[in-house]
Amino acid sequence: MEKQAADSSPATGSSLIEVALHKMKRAIVCGELSPGTKLKVDALSKAYGLSSSPIREALNRLAQEGIVNASENKGFRVAPITVADFREITRIRRLLEGEALADAIEHGDDQWEGDALAAFHRLGMVEKRLGKGPLALDDDWAERHKAFHFALFSACPSTLLLGMIDSLFDRAERYRRFSALHRQTERHKNNEHQELLDAVLARDKDKAVALLREHIGHTEASISQAIERQLATLQ
């Protein structure tokens, strides 16, 4: 009876903030809320069926993550898409994710290896289904792609490091999706993922970290070009 009473209790303020955070973050990352869009608390409250308090707190958290800009005079807006921002995200990701992968290889056990293999298999299955389509625009692929990378990192003992990587990964995802809408050729990464996984399972720390940093860096040129082409059309 006690459990039933607990299950039927209303959502807490914290959980409502998480709901608002998830909905708005997804809308921004997926491009449903375009760069520069003004984020009006009242309108978002109506759209998501939530009071203004969790909406405002979620917006403040998204501002801390760098995908929303906050101003005392101008309120909240979706952060702009810029080449400089993407290059900075890429530079920091290469540093942090390399450290996390090195730690994971050092501390990972058999379960970690199995989880990485399973995540790679699930990613490969959705890539077969999609064929030559735009992978970055598919929600299932995006989810499995992130799951594969974080399966590799999962044995890293630093929750702080993993949290920083998670935030930057989502910021990069916004650029991947923006780029996929405007790039001229699609880039498939299966071979890079296979090489990376092979190095990880071989416990070759130096090679795995080098491959990961190359993998992250390979997208920089294509995404930067897509951003520059799109921004040029708006001028």
Side-chain angles (χ1 to χ4, degrees):
M1 292 298 291
E2 291 179 358
K3 183 178 186 301
Q4 184 177 9
D7 289 344
S8 62
S9 63
T12 65
S14 178
S15 65
L16 291 176
I17 293 168
E18 292 301 321
V19 169
L21 185 67
H22 173 77
K23 287 179 178 292
M24 285 189 287
K25 188 172 189 176
R26 187 188 184 284
I28 293 171
V29 168
C30 294
E32 295 168 11
L33 291 171
S34 303
T37 299
K38 188 171 180 60
L39 301 169
K40 298 180 180 179
V41 174
D42 290 345
L44 291 168
S45 295
K46 292 178 181 178
Y48 297 140
L50 297 167
S51 67
S52 61
S53 181
I55 294 291
R56 193 175 297 278
E57 178 58 30
L59 286 169
N60 282 319
R61 292 191 188 182
L62 292 173
Q64 292 174 1
E65 292 189 26
I67 62 174
V68 165
N69 287 347
S71 168
E72 290 185 7
N73 298 325
K74 298 181 180 180
F76 299 97
R77 289 185 181 273
V78 178
I81 291 285
T82 70
V83 173
D85 181 54
F86 176 67
R87 287 178 174 164
E88 182 71 357
I89 291 168
T90 301
R91 185 180 75 86
I92 299 173
R93 282 188 62 210
R94 292 178 72 185
L95 293 170
L96 298 186
E97 292 185 28
E99 288 297 308
L101 184 61
D103 285 351
I105 291 172
E106 183 176 343
H107 293 93
D109 56 14
D110 291 350
Q111 180 66 48
W112 167 71
E113 290 191 8
D115 290 344
L117 280 165
F120 176 76
H121 176 72
R122 287 192 293 269
L123 179 59
M125 292 299 289
V126 75
E127 289 180 348
K128 287 180 182 178
R129 174 172 61 79
L130 292 172
K132 295 182 179 180
L135 299 181
L137 296 178
D138 184 85
D139 289 345
D140 194 14
W141 181 86
E143 182 179 339
R144 296 187 192 199
H145 177 243
K146 182 175 182 178
F148 168 67
H149 278 268
F150 277 79
L152 298 181
F153 305 144
S154 62
C156 172
S158 173
T159 55
L160 176 60
L161 179 56
L162 292 176
M164 295 168 68
I165 289 170
D166 184 63
S167 178
L168 286 167
F169 199 96
D170 288 343
R171 287 179 66 176
E173 177 67 17
R174 185 166 79 113
Y175 280 92
R176 276 192 291 272
R177 287 183 179 252
F178 180 88
S179 167
L181 289 170
H182 305 290
R183 74 165 65 106
Q184 296 175 340
T185 58
E186 180 66 22
R187 173 173 168 258
H188 286 239
K189 309 176 184 180
N190 186 267
N191 289 340
E192 293 177 25
H193 289 147
Q194 180 70 71
E195 292 174 1
L196 175 58
L197 179 65
D198 289 345
V200 167
L201 296 179
R203 304 293 179 130
D204 190 335
K205 187 187 300 184
D206 291 342
K207 182 178 181 180
V209 170
L211 286 171
L212 175 63
R213 288 176 172 161
E214 284 180 21
H215 176 65
I216 296 170
H218 281 165
T219 61
E220 183 172 346
S222 61
I223 290 180
S224 295
Q225 289 169 6
I227 295 169
E228 289 169 344
R229 281 196 302 270
Q230 181 60 14
L231 293 179
T233 65
L234 300 176
Q235 293 177 353

